[in-house]
Amino acid sequence: MKRVVVEKKVLERNSLSADKIRAILKEKGVFSINVMSSPGAGKTTIVEKTIESLKDNYKISFIDGDLDTDRDAERVKQLGVDVVQINTSGACHLDADMVLKALQKVSLNCDLLIIENVGNLVCPATFDVGAAKNVVILSLPEGDDKVKKYPVMFNVADIVIINKIDLLGIVDFDMMKVERELKEVNPKAKLIKLSAKTLEGFDSWLKQLKDWLAEYG
């Protein structure tokens, strides 16, 4: 019983900080996305390709969440955008207080703030980080059973990206099963299939992001 009460208080405090983040970003006119996936699904590669495609027309800043290293942040920094690293020292997710502190360091003179969460299909879904939209990435090598195994994650998604479709026919993956189970878990979530390697389907993701930016602005 005590454990439940503590969790409730933690989540309530997190929600207050998340609302504060949304208010700050709204005042600055900054649209934000929270990118979540399991490790290796392709978060950073998709972030890199997205920035490469949009940086000539949009100002972009980036907050990277990682357990201990700054490897992903260094990759994105090479693209010339402002980057702030959050190391969680073992925590399996970002929370709103972490992002709130990062906002004091990252440039908010931007159109788009990308927050890359810690690689995990469980904990990040529970902690609202104040982003305007939640993006969940699933890749073919992970298997087609993840939607029902991790419904909380897919339930908070505004969009689900199926990455590494260049591996269709090479690895076992039932796309129709994923589409069917996603509709059962979260019928409002849009699904986009792409390959960050070959860029097949990537235009659909960029169009969605541009539409969100236009609606927000």
Side-chain angles (χ1 to χ4, degrees):
M1 180 62 74
K2 288 182 180 178
R3 182 176 62 83
V4 173
V5 172
V6 170
E7 286 180 353
K8 184 178 180 182
K9 287 183 177 178
V10 169
L11 293 176
E12 286 176 348
R13 188 177 65 200
N14 187 79
S15 294
L16 291 174
S17 295
D19 288 341
K20 189 179 295 183
I21 290 169
R22 271 185 284 273
I24 292 171
L25 295 179
K26 189 67 178 177
E27 182 182 358
K28 298 288 185 180
V30 178
F31 177 73
S32 58
I33 58 173
N34 175 30
V35 183
M36 299 179 283
S37 80
S38 57
K43 288 190 300 299
T44 308
T45 302
I46 288 176
V47 167
E48 288 177 308
K49 300 296 183 183
T50 299
I51 293 173
E52 288 172 356
S53 299
L54 298 182
K55 67 178 183 178
D56 289 341
N57 297 310
Y58 299 92
K59 293 180 181 177
I60 303 172
S61 293
F62 177 65
I63 295 174
D64 179 59
D66 206 336
L67 295 178
D68 288 304
T69 76
D70 61 356
R71 293 178 180 175
D72 293 344
E74 285 297 323
R75 284 170 56 182
V76 174
K77 190 176 180 180
Q78 303 305 313
L79 301 174
V81 301
D82 193 57
V83 174
V84 168
Q85 175 73 55
I86 299 174
N87 283 130
T88 62
S89 300
C92 57
H93 61 274
L94 295 178
D95 63 33
D97 283 339
M98 295 177 190
V99 175
L100 196 56
K101 290 178 182 176
L103 288 189
Q104 299 172 13
K105 299 179 180 179
V106 75
S107 173
L108 295 182
N109 181 26
C110 62
D111 306 297
L112 172 63
L113 173 64
I114 301 175
I115 303 166
E116 181 177 326
N117 218 306
V118 177
N120 188 331
L121 273 182
V122 181
C123 310
T126 305
F127 287 83
D128 182 358
V129 295
K133 299 291 183 182
N134 287 321
V135 178
V136 176
I137 301 171
L138 174 66
S139 66
L140 265 65
E142 295 171 70
D144 53 27
D145 61 344
K146 297 299 180 288
V147 175
K148 283 294 184 76
K149 287 186 72 173
Y150 304 100
V152 175
M153 172 59 72
F154 289 91
N155 191 45
V156 301
D158 293 288
I159 190 165
V160 175
I161 293 176
I162 307 293
N163 188 26
K164 305 185 183 182
I165 61 170
D166 51 296
L167 297 179
L168 277 171
I170 299 175
V171 299
D172 291 333
F173 191 91
D174 186 339
M175 190 68 77
M176 293 181 67
K177 174 184 176 182
V178 172
E179 293 177 351
R180 181 178 66 252
E181 294 188 345
L182 181 60
K183 286 181 180 177
E184 293 172 9
V185 170
N186 182 359
K188 293 182 178 179
K190 186 174 180 179
L191 189 146
I192 290 179
K193 309 165 195 172
L194 60 79
S195 167
K197 180 179 180 180
T198 67
L199 298 183
E200 180 183 359
F202 212 83
D203 284 347
S204 296
W205 160 236
L206 294 178
K207 182 180 183 306
Q208 176 63 75
L209 195 48
K210 290 176 182 176
D211 287 347
W212 279 340
L213 282 159
E215 292 169 5
Y216 191 78

